[in-house]
Amino acid sequence: MNENRTIALLHGCNLNLLGERDPEQYGEKKLGELEREFVNAARRGGISCITFQTNHEGELIEKIHELRKRVDGMVINPGAWTHYSYALHDALEMVAAPVVEVHLSDVANRKEEWRRHSVISDVCDLTISGKGMEGYMEALAWLTQRFGTGKADPSLRSG
Ligand code: DQA
């Protein structure tokens, strides 16, 4: 059923330093390991993935433009751009497929107030935060379910 489905797994600024960067918030896994686990789990369900990370906002926006009509789902952790990039908001608004916003840490309960607000949530179909790697797996499960039924399982919604 999922053959020929493709999901984009996109990461924004500073996430290339996962594993090294504040492991208490973001865990010990490196970005490469996280991507591998996601891609392998997707492959087991017959889904292919495109992975991409950048520290340049314009590059992320161009990647979204390139993929916006080509993928069946998008999972994005934009890093700090989450909190202030209206350009990213506007790019995501043009994505035809469902988009899942994922954060490793529990952004709604972090000490910095500016982290508690996402400017992209309203153009994403689901937001998952504070679940580490599990959050990515939940995003994959949600998209897979959606491919299968055309509907989302509301029990998978968080926050
Ligand atoms: C993050 C949370 C952001 O506030 C932060 O700037 C990140 C990572 C997360 O995955 O928890 O870079 O998106």
Side-chain angles (χ1 to χ4, degrees), residues 43-148:
R43 191 176 295 141
R44 286 194 291 276
I47 298 166
S48 339
C49 292
I50 295 166
T51 60
F52 180 75
Q53 186 277 331
T54 179
N55 293 317
H56 303 275
E57 187 181 358
E59 275 184 12
L60 182 60
I61 287 164
E62 281 178 356
K63 183 55 78 175
I64 291 167
H65 290 176
E66 177 194 324
L67 297 175
R68 74 193 172 95
K69 290 180 184 164
R70 284 186 41 206
V71 295
D72 303 289
M74 209 174 257
V75 175
I76 184 163
N77 180 349
W81 292 324
T82 305
H83 312 296
Y84 65 88
S85 176
Y86 298 119
L88 180 59
H89 170 282
D90 288 355
L92 289 172
E93 197 170 27
M94 291 185 294
V95 176
V99 180
V100 184
E101 172 188 6
V102 176
H103 301 285
L104 291 154
S105 66
D106 182 8
V107 277
N109 291 301
R110 297 273 303 265
K111 67 175 191 300
E112 302 94 340
E113 209 183 313
W114 55 266
R115 269 191 223 280
R116 299 185 197 145
H117 180 63
S118 163
V119 300
I120 64 161
S121 289
D122 70 309
V123 288
C124 294
D125 295 271
L126 174 68
T127 297
I128 301 170
S129 55
K131 297 185 175 178
M133 181 69 210
E134 201 41 49
Y136 288 84
M137 291 304 168
E138 202 171 298
L140 176 61
W142 186 85
L143 285 170
T144 306
Q145 155 114 13
R146 191 153 158 159
F147 296 158

